[in-house]
Amino acid sequence: MFVLGVETSCDETGVALVRDGRLVAEALASQTDIHAVFGGVVPEIASREHQRMLPPLFADLLAKSGASAGDIDAVAVARGPGLLGSLLVGLSFAKGLCLATGADLIGVDHLHAHLLAPGLEAEMRFPALGLLVSGGHTHIYRIDSPTEFKLLGRTLDDAAGEAFDKVAKLLNLPYPGGRYLDDLSQGVTPDTALFPLAYVHNHNLDFSFSGLKTAVAEYLGKHPHLAFTAMPDTSALLREGARALCPHPEELARVAASFNYAVAETLRLKVERALERERDVVSLVVAGGVAANSHVRAAMTRVAAAHGLAACLPRPALCTDNAAMVARAGYLALAAGYRHGLDLESVPRGRAVPRDWTRVTQ
Ligand code: KG4
Ligand code: ZN
């Protein structure tokens, strides 16, 4: 069974083809360079870019895979949560293709797709505990199967990735700046007392990262020389490394390491707490853009080992937004018998994605 995945929920336009759940080919266009100077994603620009890029990416995908549009059995589309205008571009494309070819349609929860991404590389085992850490979300789930997710905890304000991006912005680094803070901190011992672990002295599984962000902002306000005087170029940062370009490398590296520590340690404490409650889980899944962070990966790998759980961490390219994870999640839902009609609606950020699919008997 060929399933096409379509991803347009934020600032990456992606299409991917899976055959019986295995990745055949993918094509991805990132808009990060376009939004970098604005310090965040500009929704109208994002929608226009998705509209511009989807047709050539689809043609590229077909050329790469040797498949034709008629070979596609079903289209899986990320229906939310995300930017409404961007989601609508992907949804319209998916529905048009289904109408033209007769393929089935399945709407995919973008967050669930992130958590199922490790399945593209290795077999996933359930029940699992899932930590989703991205630019817009910090959620802990219990996952009983590829179609059964129970939300156990969530951020009350900023997402972990948002905290990374806001701190990077204060330093005058381009958006999204999480990876540069990770890069800056490599090989440096953190000052574990420099920043507070916010919202950990309670009994719940929720997060709050806005206090940490404020603490870093206050620190940087008192040490303004640490910020880059002019925003460095993304390509120069990737080529030379952030430390080579910053005015006070050693001092900034220590601040970056301490901030990374505070985020990773907060995530670790809450995941440990969740594991104390969900004692029957057999694996720990960590997904979303911040799962590419080296400190988060190290902390979660240690947690999984200490609890005797399989650690499911996708490779960094599968952590950030991509269509392969959408195609995979769609394939698993289709295999479980679920379908959507052409009245499928997109779900903007802040609204829960409904389970409004129908089940077909096979
Ligand atoms: O999952 P994703 O691609 O998009 C959303 O659905 O939000 O996540 C993007 C987020 C951004 O906040 C970005 O700064 C962060 O992931 N990110 C990182 C790293 N790589 C990406 N944060 C910290 N360290 C990294 N290495
Ligand atoms: Zn995402």
Side-chain angles (χ1 to χ4, degrees):
M1 180 201 254
F2 272 116
V3 180
L4 172 76
V6 179
E7 164 59 45
T8 62
S9 53
C10 190
D11 58 349
E12 316 278 340
T13 318
V15 284
L17 204 57
V18 298
R19 181 174 209 173
D20 300 329
R22 303 267 152 251
L23 184 62
V24 176
E26 64 178 322
L28 188 74
S30 176
Q31 305 175 8
T32 45
D33 283 352
I34 301 170
H35 300 287
V37 289
F38 298 105
V41 178
V42 184
E44 174 67 12
I45 298 178
S47 312
R48 290 180 188 214
E49 277 301 299
H50 290 308
Q51 177 141 313
R52 188 172 75 84
M53 291 309 296
L54 260 184
L57 285 176
F58 182 56
D60 181 31
L61 181 78
L62 293 184
K64 271 187 196 162
S65 62
S68 71
D71 294 331
I72 296 168
D73 299 295
V75 182
V77 59
R79 65 176 304 196
L83 300 171
L84 188 60
S86 293
L87 291 166
L88 285 170
V89 176
L91 233 71
S92 308
F93 183 85
K95 288 180 184 178
L97 200 62
C98 289
L99 263 177
T101 63
D104 285 326
L105 178 67
I106 185 83
V108 168
D109 183 324
H110 174 87
L111 307 180
H112 297 178
H114 267 301
L115 287 159
L116 295 171
L120 287 158
E121 299 177 305
E123 202 197 328
M124 293 180 72
R125 291 172 52 220
F126 303 99
L129 193 81
L131 173 68
L132 173 76
V133 266
S134 71
H137 300 86
T138 306
H139 286 182
I140 298 185
Y141 291 92
R142 177 191 168 90
I143 313 169
D144 279 296
S145 80
T147 56
E148 292 168 289
F149 291 73
K150 185 177 169 208
L151 186 62
L152 305 176
R154 59 184 306 163
T155 183
L156 303 174
D157 41 54
D158 290 358
E162 213 170 333
F164 269 102
D165 295 339
K166 285 180 178 167
V167 168
K169 191 175 175 183
L170 289 171
L171 289 169
N172 216 0
L173 283 162
Y175 173 86
R179 61 188 301 172
Y180 310 123
L181 290 170
D182 191 1
D183 177 24
L184 276 167
S185 70
Q186 290 306 308
V188 181
T189 308
D191 175 347
T192 56
L194 190 60
F195 300 124
L197 302 185
Y199 206 63
V200 293
H201 301 293
N202 51 47
H203 296 289
N204 64 45
L205 300 177
D206 294 328
F207 300 94
S208 166
F209 286 105
S210 69
L212 172 60
K213 178 194 67 190
T214 307
V216 181
E218 276 173 11
Y219 185 90
L220 293 177
K222 288 183 195 144
H223 302 80
H225 59 282
L226 289 178
F228 288 73
T229 35
M231 187 182 285
D233 211 44
T234 307
S235 52
L237 281 165
L238 296 180
R239 199 176 51 244
E240 295 174 44
R243 225 183 286 179
L245 300 175
C246 71
H248 299 274
E250 265 152 52
E251 207 181 333
L252 183 54
R254 195 180 62 92
V255 172
S258 308
F259 170 71
N260 273 275
Y261 165 81
V263 176
E265 183 62 5
T266 303
L267 295 173
R268 184 193 68 77
L269 282 166
K270 294 281 169 149
V271 165
E272 294 265 16
R273 192 171 294 167
L275 287 171
E276 279 164 24
R277 299 183 192 179
E278 306 296 321
R279 289 178 180 270
D280 59 335
V281 299
V282 294
S283 61
L284 173 63
V285 184
V286 190
V290 182
N293 181 272
S294 59
H295 305 271
V296 172
R297 292 179 89 82
M300 293 306 148
T301 307
R302 279 197 301 271
V303 169
H307 288 261
L309 305 174
C312 291
L313 286 128
R315 66 182 145 89
L318 280 180
C319 289
T320 45
D321 289 350
N322 64 86
M325 66 183 193
V326 176
R328 168 86 187 162
Y331 163 76
L332 292 168
L334 291 157
Y338 295 109
R339 305 282 184 278
H340 276 111
L342 289 173
D343 55 352
L344 173 69
E345 289 182 347
S346 48
V347 181
R349 248 184 88 175
R351 260 180 50 196
V353 176
R355 282 175 67 88
D356 55 0
W357 46 25
T358 49
R359 195 162 201 174
V360 293
T361 41
Q362 290 164 325

Short mmCIF file of all heavy atoms in Angstrom, two decimals, residues 82-129:
data_model
loop_
_atom_site.label_atom_id
_atom_site.label_comp_id
_atom_site.label_asym_id
_atom_site.label_seq_id
_atom_site.Cartn_x
_atom_site.Cartn_y
_atom_site.Cartn_z
N GLY A 82 -1.66 23.52 14.17
CA GLY A 82 -0.69 24.28 13.39
C GLY A 82 -1.26 25.63 13.01
O GLY A 82 -2.28 26.07 13.56
N LEU A 83 -0.61 26.27 12.06
CA LEU A 83 -1.09 27.57 11.57
C LEU A 83 -2.23 27.29 10.59
O LEU A 83 -2.05 26.53 9.64
CB LEU A 83 0.04 28.31 10.85
CG LEU A 83 1.28 28.62 11.68
CD1 LEU A 83 2.40 29.14 10.79
CD2 LEU A 83 0.93 29.63 12.77
N LEU A 84 -3.37 27.92 10.83
CA LEU A 84 -4.57 27.56 10.05
C LEU A 84 -4.36 27.72 8.54
O LEU A 84 -4.67 26.82 7.76
CB LEU A 84 -5.77 28.39 10.52
CG LEU A 84 -7.09 27.95 9.90
CD1 LEU A 84 -7.41 26.51 10.25
CD2 LEU A 84 -8.22 28.85 10.37
N GLY A 85 -3.84 28.86 8.11
CA GLY A 85 -3.64 29.10 6.68
C GLY A 85 -2.72 28.06 6.06
O GLY A 85 -2.96 27.57 4.95
N SER A 86 -1.67 27.71 6.79
CA SER A 86 -0.70 26.73 6.29
C SER A 86 -1.34 25.34 6.19
O SER A 86 -1.18 24.64 5.19
CB SER A 86 0.51 26.66 7.22
OG SER A 86 1.22 27.86 7.16
N LEU A 87 -2.09 24.97 7.23
CA LEU A 87 -2.76 23.67 7.22
C LEU A 87 -3.73 23.55 6.05
O LEU A 87 -3.83 22.51 5.40
CB LEU A 87 -3.54 23.46 8.53
CG LEU A 87 -2.70 23.28 9.80
CD1 LEU A 87 -3.58 23.43 11.03
CD2 LEU A 87 -2.02 21.91 9.80
N LEU A 88 -4.44 24.66 5.78
CA LEU A 88 -5.44 24.63 4.71
C LEU A 88 -4.81 24.37 3.34
O LEU A 88 -5.42 23.72 2.49
CB LEU A 88 -6.23 25.95 4.67
CG LEU A 88 -7.26 26.10 5.80
CD1 LEU A 88 -7.83 27.52 5.83
CD2 LEU A 88 -8.39 25.08 5.63
N VAL A 89 -3.59 24.86 3.14
CA VAL A 89 -2.91 24.62 1.87
C VAL A 89 -2.67 23.11 1.69
O VAL A 89 -2.98 22.53 0.65
CB VAL A 89 -1.57 25.40 1.79
CG1 VAL A 89 -0.82 25.05 0.50
CG2 VAL A 89 -1.80 26.90 1.88
N GLY A 90 -2.16 22.47 2.75
CA GLY A 90 -1.89 21.03 2.67
C GLY A 90 -3.16 20.22 2.54
O GLY A 90 -3.24 19.26 1.76
N LEU A 91 -4.19 20.63 3.28
CA LEU A 91 -5.46 19.90 3.26
C LEU A 91 -6.12 19.98 1.88
O LEU A 91 -6.64 18.98 1.36
CB LEU A 91 -6.41 20.49 4.31
CG LEU A 91 -6.99 19.48 5.29
CD1 LEU A 91 -5.91 19.00 6.22
CD2 LEU A 91 -8.14 20.06 6.09
N SER A 92 -6.07 21.18 1.27
CA SER A 92 -6.68 21.35 -0.05
C SER A 92 -5.94 20.50 -1.08
O SER A 92 -6.55 19.88 -1.95
CB SER A 92 -6.63 22.82 -0.48
OG SER A 92 -7.18 23.61 0.53
N PHE A 93 -4.62 20.49 -0.97
CA PHE A 93 -3.81 19.69 -1.90
C PHE A 93 -4.18 18.21 -1.75
O PHE A 93 -4.41 17.50 -2.73
CB PHE A 93 -2.33 19.92 -1.59
CG PHE A 93 -1.40 19.20 -2.51
CD1 PHE A 93 -1.02 19.77 -3.72
CD2 PHE A 93 -0.88 17.96 -2.18
CE1 PHE A 93 -0.16 19.10 -4.59
CE2 PHE A 93 -0.03 17.28 -3.04
CZ PHE A 93 0.33 17.87 -4.24
N ALA A 94 -4.25 17.75 -0.50
CA ALA A 94 -4.54 16.33 -0.23
C ALA A 94 -5.94 15.96 -0.75
O ALA A 94 -6.12 14.92 -1.40
CB ALA A 94 -4.45 16.06 1.27
N LYS A 95 -6.92 16.83 -0.48
CA LYS A 95 -8.29 16.52 -0.93
C LYS A 95 -8.38 16.53 -2.45
O LYS A 95 -9.06 15.68 -3.04
CB LYS A 95 -9.26 17.54 -0.34
CG LYS A 95 -9.49 17.38 1.15
CD LYS A 95 -10.47 18.42 1.65
CE LYS A 95 -10.64 18.34 3.16
NZ LYS A 95 -11.55 19.36 3.68
N GLY A 96 -7.71 17.48 -3.08
CA GLY A 96 -7.73 17.55 -4.55
C GLY A 96 -7.18 16.27 -5.16
O GLY A 96 -7.75 15.72 -6.11
N LEU A 97 -6.09 15.80 -4.57
CA LEU A 97 -5.46 14.57 -5.08
C LEU A 97 -6.39 13.37 -4.89
O LEU A 97 -6.53 12.52 -5.78
CB LEU A 97 -4.14 14.35 -4.34
CG LEU A 97 -3.14 13.45 -5.02
CD1 LEU A 97 -2.70 14.04 -6.36
CD2 LEU A 97 -1.92 13.27 -4.12
N CYS A 98 -7.06 13.31 -3.74
CA CYS A 98 -7.99 12.20 -3.47
C CYS A 98 -9.16 12.24 -4.45
O CYS A 98 -9.59 11.19 -4.96
CB CYS A 98 -8.50 12.26 -2.03
SG CYS A 98 -7.23 11.85 -0.83
N LEU A 99 -9.67 13.44 -4.71
CA LEU A 99 -10.78 13.57 -5.65
C LEU A 99 -10.37 13.12 -7.05
O LEU A 99 -11.11 12.44 -7.74
CB LEU A 99 -11.22 15.04 -5.72
CG LEU A 99 -12.39 15.47 -4.88
CD1 LEU A 99 -12.61 16.97 -5.03
CD2 LEU A 99 -13.65 14.70 -5.30
N ALA A 100 -9.14 13.51 -7.45
CA ALA A 100 -8.69 13.21 -8.80
C ALA A 100 -8.35 11.74 -9.00
O ALA A 100 -8.55 11.19 -10.08
CB ALA A 100 -7.46 14.07 -9.12
N THR A 101 -7.84 11.10 -7.95
CA THR A 101 -7.32 9.72 -8.13
C THR A 101 -8.18 8.65 -7.46
O THR A 101 -7.97 7.47 -7.69
CB THR A 101 -5.89 9.60 -7.55
OG1 THR A 101 -5.97 9.83 -6.13
CG2 THR A 101 -4.94 10.59 -8.19
N GLY A 102 -9.09 9.08 -6.57
CA GLY A 102 -9.90 8.09 -5.85
C GLY A 102 -9.19 7.52 -4.63
O GLY A 102 -9.68 6.56 -4.01
N ALA A 103 -8.03 8.10 -4.28
CA ALA A 103 -7.29 7.61 -3.10
C ALA A 103 -8.09 7.90 -1.83
O ALA A 103 -8.87 8.85 -1.78
CB ALA A 103 -5.93 8.28 -3.03
N ASP A 104 -7.85 7.10 -0.78
CA ASP A 104 -8.47 7.35 0.53
C ASP A 104 -7.78 8.55 1.19
O ASP A 104 -6.63 8.86 0.88
CB ASP A 104 -8.30 6.13 1.44
CG ASP A 104 -9.23 5.00 1.04
OD1 ASP A 104 -10.35 5.30 0.60
OD2 ASP A 104 -8.83 3.83 1.18
N LEU A 105 -8.50 9.17 2.15
CA LEU A 105 -7.95 10.32 2.87
C LEU A 105 -7.89 10.00 4.35
O LEU A 105 -8.83 9.43 4.92
CB LEU A 105 -8.86 11.54 2.65
CG LEU A 105 -8.46 12.83 3.36
CD1 LEU A 105 -7.15 13.39 2.80
CD2 LEU A 105 -9.57 13.88 3.22
N ILE A 106 -6.77 10.37 4.98
CA ILE A 106 -6.69 10.24 6.44
C ILE A 106 -6.01 11.49 7.00
O ILE A 106 -4.93 11.87 6.56
CB ILE A 106 -5.94 8.93 6.86
CG1 ILE A 106 -5.98 8.75 8.38
CG2 ILE A 106 -4.52 8.87 6.36
CD1 ILE A 106 -7.24 8.12 8.90
N GLY A 107 -6.67 12.12 7.95
CA GLY A 107 -6.10 13.29 8.62
C GLY A 107 -5.27 12.82 9.80
O GLY A 107 -5.67 11.93 10.55
N VAL A 108 -4.10 13.42 9.97
CA VAL A 108 -3.16 12.99 11.00
C VAL A 108 -2.92 14.12 12.00
O VAL A 108 -2.76 15.27 11.62
CB VAL A 108 -1.83 12.56 10.33
CG1 VAL A 108 -0.73 12.38 11.34
CG2 VAL A 108 -2.03 11.30 9.51
N ASP A 109 -2.89 13.77 13.28
CA ASP A 109 -2.51 14.72 14.33
C ASP A 109 -1.00 14.90 14.23
O ASP A 109 -0.23 13.93 14.40
CB ASP A 109 -2.92 14.14 15.70
CG ASP A 109 -2.63 15.09 16.85
OD1 ASP A 109 -1.61 15.80 16.80
OD2 ASP A 109 -3.43 15.09 17.81
N HIS A 110 -0.57 16.12 13.96
CA HIS A 110 0.85 16.41 13.76
C HIS A 110 1.69 15.96 14.97
O HIS A 110 2.82 15.47 14.82
CB HIS A 110 0.99 17.93 13.55
CG HIS A 110 2.38 18.43 13.46
ND1 HIS A 110 3.09 18.47 12.29
CD2 HIS A 110 3.21 18.92 14.42
CE1 HIS A 110 4.30 18.96 12.52
NE2 HIS A 110 4.39 19.26 13.81
N LEU A 111 1.13 16.10 16.17
CA LEU A 111 1.88 15.76 17.39
C LEU A 111 2.04 14.25 17.52
O LEU A 111 3.11 13.74 17.88
CB LEU A 111 1.19 16.33 18.63
CG LEU A 111 0.88 17.83 18.56
CD1 LEU A 111 0.18 18.29 19.83
CD2 LEU A 111 2.15 18.63 18.34
N HIS A 112 0.98 13.52 17.19
CA HIS A 112 1.07 12.05 17.22
C HIS A 112 2.07 11.57 16.16
O HIS A 112 2.81 10.60 16.39
CB HIS A 112 -0.30 11.42 16.98
CG HIS A 112 -1.31 11.75 18.05
ND1 HIS A 112 -2.60 11.32 18.02
CD2 HIS A 112 -1.18 12.49 19.19
CE1 HIS A 112 -3.24 11.77 19.09
NE2 HIS A 112 -2.40 12.48 19.81
N ALA A 113 2.07 12.25 15.01
CA ALA A 113 3.01 11.86 13.94
C ALA A 113 4.45 11.99 14.43
O ALA A 113 5.28 11.12 14.18
CB ALA A 113 2.79 12.72 12.70
N HIS A 114 4.76 13.09 15.15
CA HIS A 114 6.11 13.25 15.71
C HIS A 114 6.46 12.02 16.56
O HIS A 114 7.56 11.48 16.47
CB HIS A 114 6.15 14.47 16.63
CG HIS A 114 6.59 15.74 15.95
ND1 HIS A 114 7.79 15.88 15.31
CD2 HIS A 114 5.96 16.95 15.83
CE1 HIS A 114 7.91 17.11 14.83
NE2 HIS A 114 6.81 17.78 15.12
N LEU A 115 5.51 11.61 17.42
CA LEU A 115 5.79 10.52 18.36
C LEU A 115 5.88 9.15 17.68
O LEU A 115 6.44 8.22 18.25
CB LEU A 115 4.73 10.51 19.47
CG LEU A 115 4.89 11.66 20.46
CD1 LEU A 115 3.59 11.94 21.20
CD2 LEU A 115 6.01 11.38 21.46
N LEU A 116 5.34 9.04 16.48
CA LEU A 116 5.42 7.77 15.76
C LEU A 116 6.61 7.73 14.81
O LEU A 116 6.89 6.69 14.20
CB LEU A 116 4.10 7.51 15.00
CG LEU A 116 2.87 7.32 15.91
CD1 LEU A 116 1.59 7.28 15.09
CD2 LEU A 116 3.00 6.03 16.74
N ALA A 117 7.31 8.87 14.67
CA ALA A 117 8.46 8.95 13.74
C ALA A 117 9.53 7.88 13.99
O ALA A 117 10.09 7.36 13.03
CB ALA A 117 9.07 10.34 13.78
N PRO A 118 9.84 7.53 15.26
CA PRO A 118 10.89 6.51 15.45
C PRO A 118 10.57 5.19 14.75
O PRO A 118 11.47 4.43 14.41
CB PRO A 118 10.92 6.32 16.98
CG PRO A 118 10.34 7.57 17.55
CD PRO A 118 9.33 8.04 16.54
N GLY A 119 9.28 4.94 14.50
CA GLY A 119 8.87 3.70 13.84
C GLY A 119 9.36 3.60 12.40
O GLY A 119 9.31 2.53 11.79
N LEU A 120 9.82 4.71 11.84
CA LEU A 120 10.38 4.67 10.48
C LEU A 120 11.75 4.00 10.47
O LEU A 120 12.23 3.57 9.43
CB LEU A 120 10.52 6.09 9.92
CG LEU A 120 9.20 6.77 9.51
CD1 LEU A 120 9.36 8.28 9.50
CD2 LEU A 120 8.74 6.27 8.13
N GLU A 121 12.37 3.94 11.65
CA GLU A 121 13.74 3.41 11.71
C GLU A 121 13.84 2.11 12.50
O GLU A 121 14.76 1.33 12.29
CB GLU A 121 14.65 4.44 12.38
CG GLU A 121 14.71 5.74 11.63
CD GLU A 121 15.56 6.77 12.35
OE1 GLU A 121 15.31 7.07 13.53
OE2 GLU A 121 16.49 7.27 11.71
N ALA A 122 12.94 1.93 13.45
CA ALA A 122 13.02 0.74 14.30
C ALA A 122 11.61 0.40 14.79
O ALA A 122 10.74 1.27 14.82
CB ALA A 122 13.92 1.03 15.50
N GLU A 123 11.44 -0.85 15.20
CA GLU A 123 10.12 -1.25 15.68
C GLU A 123 9.81 -0.56 17.01
O GLU A 123 10.69 -0.47 17.88
CB GLU A 123 10.10 -2.76 15.88
CG GLU A 123 8.70 -3.31 15.84
CD GLU A 123 8.63 -4.72 16.43
OE1 GLU A 123 9.62 -5.46 16.29
OE2 GLU A 123 7.59 -5.04 17.03
N MET A 124 8.59 -0.03 17.14
CA MET A 124 8.21 0.62 18.40
C MET A 124 7.39 -0.35 19.22
O MET A 124 6.61 -1.12 18.68
CB MET A 124 7.39 1.89 18.12
CG MET A 124 8.19 2.98 17.44
SD MET A 124 7.20 4.45 17.13
CE MET A 124 7.04 5.10 18.80
N ARG A 125 7.59 -0.26 20.56
CA ARG A 125 6.83 -1.16 21.43
C ARG A 125 5.91 -0.37 22.34
O ARG A 125 6.27 0.70 22.83
CB ARG A 125 7.80 -2.04 22.23
CG ARG A 125 8.52 -3.05 21.29
CD ARG A 125 9.63 -3.80 21.99
NE ARG A 125 9.15 -4.41 23.22
CZ ARG A 125 9.87 -4.43 24.34
NH1 ARG A 125 11.05 -3.88 24.38
NH2 ARG A 125 9.39 -5.01 25.42
N PHE A 126 4.73 -0.91 22.57
CA PHE A 126 3.71 -0.23 23.37
C PHE A 126 3.30 -1.13 24.54
O PHE A 126 3.42 -2.34 24.42
CB PHE A 126 2.49 0.09 22.50
CG PHE A 126 2.84 0.94 21.30
CD1 PHE A 126 3.02 0.36 20.06
CD2 PHE A 126 3.03 2.31 21.44
CE1 PHE A 126 3.37 1.13 18.95
CE2 PHE A 126 3.37 3.09 20.34
CZ PHE A 126 3.54 2.49 19.09
N PRO A 127 2.78 -0.58 25.65
CA PRO A 127 2.57 0.84 25.90
C PRO A 127 3.88 1.59 26.07
O PRO A 127 4.86 1.04 26.58
CB PRO A 127 1.75 0.86 27.20
CG PRO A 127 2.03 -0.44 27.86
CD PRO A 127 2.30 -1.43 26.77
N ALA A 128 3.87 2.87 25.64
CA ALA A 128 5.07 3.69 25.72
C ALA A 128 4.75 4.99 26.44
O ALA A 128 3.59 5.42 26.47
CB ALA A 128 5.57 4.00 24.31
N LEU A 129 5.78 5.59 27.02
CA LEU A 129 5.63 6.96 27.51
C LEU A 129 6.22 7.85 26.43
O LEU A 129 7.32 7.57 25.93
CB LEU A 129 6.37 7.16 28.84
CG LEU A 129 5.97 8.47 29.52
CD1 LEU A 129 4.65 8.29 30.27
CD2 LEU A 129 7.05 8.94 30.50
#
